[in-house]
Amino acid sequence: MAKRIDIGSLSAYYGKFKAIEDISMTVEPKSVTAFIGPSGCGKSTFLRTLNRMHEVAAGAHVEGKVMLDDEDLYAPGVDPVAVRRTVGMVFQRPNPFPTMSIYDNVAAGLKLNGRYKKSELDAVVEKSLKGANLWNEVKDRLNRPGSGLSGGQQQRLCIARAIAVEPQVLLMDEPCSALDPISTIAIEDLIGELKKKYTIVIVTHNMQQAARVSDRTAFFNLAAVGQPGKLIEIDDTERIFSNPSVQATEDYVSGRFG
Amino acid sequence: MTATTTLPATEQTDALGIHQPRLPKWAPAGIALGAAAVGVGIGTVAGLSSRIQWGLIAALLFVLASYAISATVEGKRQAKDRFATSMVWVAFLLAVIPLASLIWETVSRGIKVLDAYFLTHSMSGVVTIQPGGGVYHAILGTLEQVGIATLISAPIGLLTAIYLVEYGKGKLAKAVTFFVDVMTGIPSIVAGLFILSLWIMMLGFSYSGLAGAMALSILMMPVVVRSTEEMLKLVPNELREASYALGVPKWKTIMKVVLPTSIGGITTGVMLAIARIAGESAPLLLLVFGNPVINGNPFDGAQAGLPLFIYEQWANGNEASYDRAWAAALVLIAFVMILNLVARGIARWKAPQHR
């Protein structure tokens, strides 16, 4: 079920502004790929091009190819809504739906997209919450609002919501940056579990986190403010943090940047 | 004037210079009482007939005394703070006094003939100079006219707001926003004249509750659009993105995520818009015409309405009619008040829960 992503010379624009330029890389299935780089280098923009969330912003468009196994996500006739069901996403700030209970939050992706039997939904909700390591904490209060949970629990609820629709790929945009260290560890452990089933791409500002959770790491950088962000290199995480092939990467990961 | 006290000098040494004499907690209240007393005193001695003059003198004294006393005891910065605070209090009182006096006047005069008979009977066969009669036909008319106006303008207003916030960009959205702004400024008599010339004079229909409701909906629509727009803008974009990321189409995201999140505020906005048009009398005068007997059919023939009824009774110019006008005014105020309370209740009930 996990899929390989092949990105071929991809550029993304906000109106006339080119945010990322000519990025090509391969994301391996059933592994964690981390994106690191300074603020504004286009990591998040790039991530959002992988499930066609980039074009939600006004005036945003993309050039290039994103191949999910053999399918080009940007080929004419591809429905972005269907793409997002295949490539799930977890956001920086936990964003459970405030009008919905914990149960309804997890079931939202299914409920809003079709009709399911109550028993089917029950099974999916339990499986997803267990998958997100949240089941034991919330199983007695599934009908309470999701916004009553702590920040870390809310983020795991959002992960459960994302995996409930059984995507092939899970994109995570700084999923721990709004959380405390204990919740962060919980999410990182969860990422380790999830990579057995999913292809995971995670954007992070925390280099220790990238080193801890990822198999491969991609370093992005931009020449100057106002210039498009570029992929500097992608390699095994171990190599990026010990012996990268580009000097800029070494400067960044060792803290000598700028 | 009032006695000023300073706190007992502190025992500790004030090496940091952080101790300062403060006025006691009751000082503002004391100054206010003193100012009121002096204001009344000056008013009586100088023989000023208007109580408003007394009050203004007292208010002025209160602001000045607060500043002066605070400046001598507490220092300049505190005095400025007290000055601003006392100005806010005076402004608050100035705003509340007319409101309170209006409600008091209406209740005390309106309660006289307001009873079950008044609420359940029409003016059919009642000679205007005699007491008796009732407001039932006007309540019925107002409910029907306001109800129809809401049925017309709430869906249109809601859809317009959804278009503007969720879809609208470019020239069309700008044009719609502009015309909504223009509509907000339309005087009610102009809306009435518009429907009069279009519906009654050009298309040849007769006076009816429906004609009044159409004019009212012109007044109501921009209010609904504006308030709904603000409520939809308050929905965090993150929720929309979360929904898109689950592969939910845009229209379903709006229906199932955006609208439920903002439904409390939207309902409040619609209720307040209803409250705003319930008291309009000019369009009713032109289009509903007024009718002393019960006409339950809003689509045919002249009807009554509460604002119109008040106007007619007042125009009659005799005691019995004045009493009926005040009682009807009380009914109208109560109607609007109940709508407001319902709106608040719905807003609280539908607000996203947090525990």
Side-chain angles (χ1 to χ4, degrees):
Chain A
M1 78 178 283
K3 299 219 170 186
R4 174 193 311 276
I5 315 173
D6 272 305
I7 298 116
S9 54
L10 186 107
S11 300
Y13 300 80
Y14 290 103
K16 290 208 170 112
F17 175 68
K18 198 187 226 178
I20 50 173
E21 186 175 38
D22 195 21
I23 292 180
S24 300
M25 67 160 76
T26 301
V27 175
E28 299 293 337
K30 293 195 183 183
S31 72
V32 179
T33 304
F35 292 174
I36 60 170
S39 293
C41 72
K43 310 180 293 286
S44 294
T45 303
F46 180 51
L47 190 76
R48 290 164 66 94
T49 62
L50 301 184
N51 68 342
R52 298 196 63 170
M53 283 292 285
H54 174 65
E55 62 208 65
V56 169
H61 66 281
V62 169
E63 287 168 5
K65 278 189 172 179
V66 177
M67 304 292 291
L68 198 64
D69 280 3
D70 300 324
E71 304 244 24
D72 184 359
L73 300 186
Y74 286 94
V78 171
D79 180 9
V81 171
V83 169
R84 291 176 204 138
R85 282 177 207 168
T86 314
V87 185
M89 190 165 198
V90 175
F91 295 85
Q92 184 168 2
R93 288 228 314 251
N95 51 1
F97 299 126
T99 50
M100 296 185 194
S101 65
I102 294 171
Y103 183 100
D104 287 340
N105 259 291
V106 179
L110 297 180
K111 270 188 161 176
L112 297 183
N113 282 324
R115 294 196 166 278
Y116 291 84
K117 284 198 211 104
K118 175 88 170 101
S119 55
E120 285 177 306
L121 286 178
D122 286 346
V124 169
V125 167
E126 179 168 350
K127 188 172 147 217
S128 309
L129 283 171
K130 277 181 175 158
N133 280 335
L134 192 61
W135 175 251
N136 285 329
E137 291 159 69
V138 300
K139 64 181 175 202
D140 302 323
R141 44 173 173 158
L142 290 173
N143 291 320
R144 307 286 288 281
S147 44
L149 299 173
S150 77
Q153 288 172 326
Q154 284 187 20
Q155 193 61 299
R156 277 181 283 152
L157 178 64
C158 293
I159 294 174
R161 182 174 69 185
I163 61 179
V165 293
E166 307 216 315
Q168 319 275 342
V169 179
L170 198 55
L171 309 174
M172 299 178 141
D173 190 356
E174 298 183 42
C176 302
S177 64
L179 304 181
D180 70 288
I182 293 170
S183 307
T184 302
I185 294 286
I187 304 270
E188 286 181 7
D189 289 347
L190 177 58
I191 293 171
E193 289 288 314
L194 292 173
K195 79 169 179 181
K196 291 173 193 159
K197 283 178 71 183
Y198 301 95
T199 304
I200 294 177
V201 183
I202 177 171
V203 168
T204 179
H205 269 296
N206 182 331
M207 274 176 278
Q208 287 81 5
Q209 181 172 58
R212 281 194 300 263
V213 302
S214 70
D215 303 301
R216 287 164 61 80
T217 299
F219 173 62
F220 292 79
N221 204 351
L222 71 175
V225 175
Q227 299 285 313
K230 288 182 177 172
L231 175 68
I232 303 301
E233 65 174 314
I234 174 166
D235 212 329
D236 289 340
T237 299
E238 226 165 277
R239 254 185 80 90
I240 290 281
F241 283 96
S242 58
N243 189 18
S245 34
V246 181
Q247 184 62 37
T249 314
E250 188 169 351
D251 288 350
Y252 186 74
V253 297
S254 60
R256 260 181 286 140
F257 192 80
Chain B
M1 189 182 293
T2 43
T4 61
T5 52
T6 49
L7 285 181
T10 41
E11 305 283 330
Q12 305 103 315
T13 51
D14 188 8
L16 292 173
I18 54 173
H19 291 277
Q20 230 193 357
R22 294 294 312 261
L23 286 172
K25 274 217 164 124
W26 50 263
I31 296 172
L33 270 180
V38 175
V40 170
I42 293 177
T44 343
V45 171
L48 297 172
S49 54
S50 167
R51 297 286 157 85
I52 293 172
Q53 287 169 324
W54 298 17
L56 286 178
I57 291 169
L60 192 66
L61 281 172
F62 171 62
V63 173
L64 292 178
S66 295
Y67 183 77
I69 294 170
S70 177
T72 45
V73 179
E74 295 178 316
K76 248 198 163 156
R77 187 176 56 81
Q78 289 294 338
K80 279 180 198 154
D81 180 36
R82 299 245 182 223
F83 177 72
T85 312
S86 55
M87 287 297 277
V88 170
W89 273 102
V90 168
F92 167 71
L93 282 178
L94 283 180
V96 158
I97 287 170
L99 182 69
S101 101
L102 181 140
I103 290 176
W104 169 250
E105 198 77 5
T106 313
V107 170
S108 62
R109 295 208 199 188
I111 208 82
K112 203 153 69 183
V113 292
L114 183 63
D115 53 20
Y117 183 90
F118 185 75
L119 290 175
T120 52
H121 288 75
S122 73
M123 288 301 289
S124 176
V126 179
V127 181
T128 55
I129 51 167
Q130 283 176 350
V135 79
Y136 176 74
H137 60 308
I139 296 177
L140 191 71
T142 288
L143 286 178
E144 284 177 351
Q145 289 144 23
V146 168
I148 293 171
T150 309
L151 285 182
I152 296 173
S153 55
I156 297 177
L158 206 69
L159 290 173
T160 308
I162 290 174
Y163 169 74
L164 287 176
V165 175
E166 304 290 339
Y167 294 94
K169 42 189 128 150
K171 279 190 180 143
L172 181 59
K174 273 201 184 123
V176 172
T177 310
F178 174 73
F179 283 112
V180 168
D181 278 344
V182 171
M183 276 178 82
T184 315
I186 292 181
S188 55
I189 188 82
V190 175
L193 285 170
F194 168 65
I195 297 294
L196 179 74
S197 55
L198 181 79
W199 184 252
I200 294 179
M201 292 168 74
M202 273 176 69
L203 297 176
F205 291 95
S206 71
Y207 299 113
S208 68
L210 176 66
M214 285 192 287
L216 292 180
S217 66
I218 292 177
L219 301 172
M220 186 174 170
M221 224 175 290
V223 184
V224 174
V225 173
R226 265 293 125 87
S227 60
T228 308
E229 222 185 324
E230 293 308 314
M231 288 303 135
L232 292 178
K233 279 184 191 158
L234 283 181
V235 175
N237 226 5
E238 294 159 13
L239 293 182
R240 295 186 182 93
E241 292 200 335
S243 180
Y244 297 152
L246 290 172
V248 180
K250 187 166 186 173
W251 68 272
K252 221 163 200 178
T253 300
I254 294 169
M255 291 293 291
K256 301 282 183 165
V257 175
V258 177
L259 284 180
T261 308
S262 53
I263 192 69
I266 292 174
T267 324
T268 311
V270 172
M271 290 286 192
L272 293 177
I274 295 174
R276 153 135 173 40
I277 59 159
E280 285 296 347
S281 51
L284 304 190
L285 204 61
L286 293 172
L287 301 166
V288 184
F289 201 69
N291 190 344
V293 299
I294 298 169
N295 174 11
N297 184 359
F299 303 106
D300 188 31
Q303 269 195 316
L306 277 172
L308 194 51
F309 178 88
I310 297 168
Y311 173 78
E312 287 167 352
Q313 293 301 317
W314 194 258
N316 283 341
N318 59 62
E319 264 325 297
S321 293
Y322 286 160
D323 287 346
R324 281 191 290 266
W326 281 109
L330 183 55
V331 171
L332 185 57
I333 288 180
F335 175 69
V336 171
M337 190 96 103
I338 288 168
L339 274 184
N340 274 313
L341 289 177
V342 169
R344 273 166 186 271
I346 289 175
R348 189 172 295 184
W349 172 50
K350 280 288 180 185
Q353 310 284 311
H354 281 285
R355 281 294 135 205

